[in-house]
Amino acid sequence: MKIAVIGTGYVGLVVGACLAEGGNDVICVDNDKNKVDGLNRGEIPIYEPGLETLVSRNTSEERLRFTTDLDDAVRASLINFIAVGTPPGEDGSADLKHVVAVATAIGKAMNGYKIIVNKSTVPVGTARKVAEVISGQTEHPFDVVSNPEFLKEGAALEDFMKPDRVVIGTNDPRVAEIMKELYSPFLRTGKPVIVMDPESAELTKYAANAMLATRISFMNEVARICERVGANVNRVREGMGSDERIGFSFLFPGTGYGGSCFPKDVKALMKTSRDHGYDFRILDSVEVVNEEQKHILFDKIVAHYGPDLSGKTIALWGLSFKPKTDDMREAPSIVLIEKLLAAGAKVRANDPEAIPNAKTIFGGRIEYCTKNYDALKGADALAVVTEWGLYARPDFDVMRKALAQPVVFDGRNIYNPNKMRAMGFLYFGIGIPTDPTTS
Ligand code: NAD
């Protein structure tokens, strides 16, 4: 099929590359000329495992190309995906200005029947709004479909190629058939395409992300109780997750959720609820708990060293909001670093992929270390903020010798507390008792 994907960010680039891999002719459009020029030179603007290979193969086989020319892309395509950002506005609502701008441009460019697919995460009613905007620009027939994307950064290709489900929001069975056909190469394992009305599809995405955020905040609160009563959250998690009704996913306490999706989608669902006269109370607490959780490592560091950290150096392992991505949007590391700097500490940070993005946030205010052990040299403590695989099994001897003081604040519970303490580290986890005999 002939496809245009408008917005070539984390989602659009993955969707475009994967659809091209599925045999379609895909034109990816972005209004950021630098990004498009870079992509045309083979430079991938984000870190996503496997993406570079996929883009390179599909561009060289001429199923995938990049342009700033939206008109040309729309005219050449039957299906037009909108995959632009929907950042939170001042009041928490999803800001639809990019979506509306693209819908307007699509309407102007249309030269015949088109299917416009909302891939961006958008509030209930946006499919209708996009249809209104396009009708204002064209006489040509079209349909608007809501097709929320559930990919996870860091595993985006796998998620798109082997989705748990594909949600198609349309009231027209013929359009549903075309969309099913488009996704059929990715659903050979029998995972479902769920066709529903556009409003339900739009809400499904928010409800799913809000549920996942709720599980994270719930476990962060369980961890806080564990610390107070002398229980170990790792054991509690095993006990809980073994219940099939609960399962193990998203049961890990940590330093709070971040990224471009959970924080904004939780806010947007709260706003939609308020707009319809309903106060989504659980989500208020989910947010409050998460904001507090982003401070948890700092609080532990201050509890150990006192509030004045001048003269102290803290090493950070991990800057991105989660492993296998360079994305630092709403990352807990940002809150921790700002608080450490405000308390007078020096920060030396390592991350396998996020250092370029971190530089745009912190500039010269922190030191960047391309090797993880270098960050430890002379530091008074290590704070593990992101659970990148390379941090899981370090050489603990090298670690202990490099640190000025063998103190570890493990924000992701990646180490065994008993073993750490036996090796001479002073170890602090999340929801882990300080008494080693119960760890
Ligand atoms: P992003 O900011 O990485 O990318 C958006 C892209 O759109 C940018 O490259 C920008 O230059 C481009 N753009 C903006 N206005 C444009 C215009 N008028 N014409 C052409 N291009 C334009 O955003 P993202 O992370 O890819 O997210 C896109 C949407 O997908 C959001 O609604 C988000 O909530 C949703 N989503 C994101 C993820 C994720 O993990 N990042 C997962 C699922 C859904």
Side-chain angles (χ1 to χ4, degrees), residues 6-12 29-32 35 70 83-86 98 101-102 119-121 149-153 205 260-261 264-265 327 329:
I6 302 155
T8 310
Y10 281 88
V11 168
V29 182
D30 206 284
N31 63 357
D32 179 341
K35 192 179 268 192
L70 181 142
V84 292
T86 47
H98 301 302
V102 170
K119 201 36 132 174
S120 300
T121 302
E149 181 50 57
F150 297 98
L151 62 76
K152 303 181 287 294
E153 288 176 23
K205 171 70 189 180
S260 67
C261 292
K264 99 174 155 53
D265 293 352
D327 198 342
R329 291 179 282 188

Side-chain angles (χ1 to χ4, degrees), residues 11 19 41 112 121 162 209 213 232 250 262 310 366 416:
V11 168
L19 288 174
R41 289 192 299 270
T121 302
K162 294 182 191 159
N209 272 0
N232 183 329
F250 278 77
F262 288 1
S310 43
I366 67 172
N416 180 307

Side-chain angles (χ1 to χ4, degrees), residues 56-109:
S56 142
R57 180 166 57 237
N58 284 284
T59 43
S60 67
E61 290 172 11
E62 296 180 357
R63 284 187 302 271
L64 179 63
R65 64 186 176 91
F66 302 98
T67 181
T68 54
D69 189 342
L70 181 142
D71 293 7
D72 181 44
V74 169
R75 281 196 282 266
S77 307
L78 168 66
I79 302 182
N80 295 268
F81 280 89
I82 303 180
V84 292
T86 47
E90 296 257 306
D91 58 359
S93 60
D95 184 343
L96 293 179
K97 67 172 183 277
H98 301 302
V99 171
V100 169
V102 170
T104 309
I106 291 174
K108 282 191 177 133

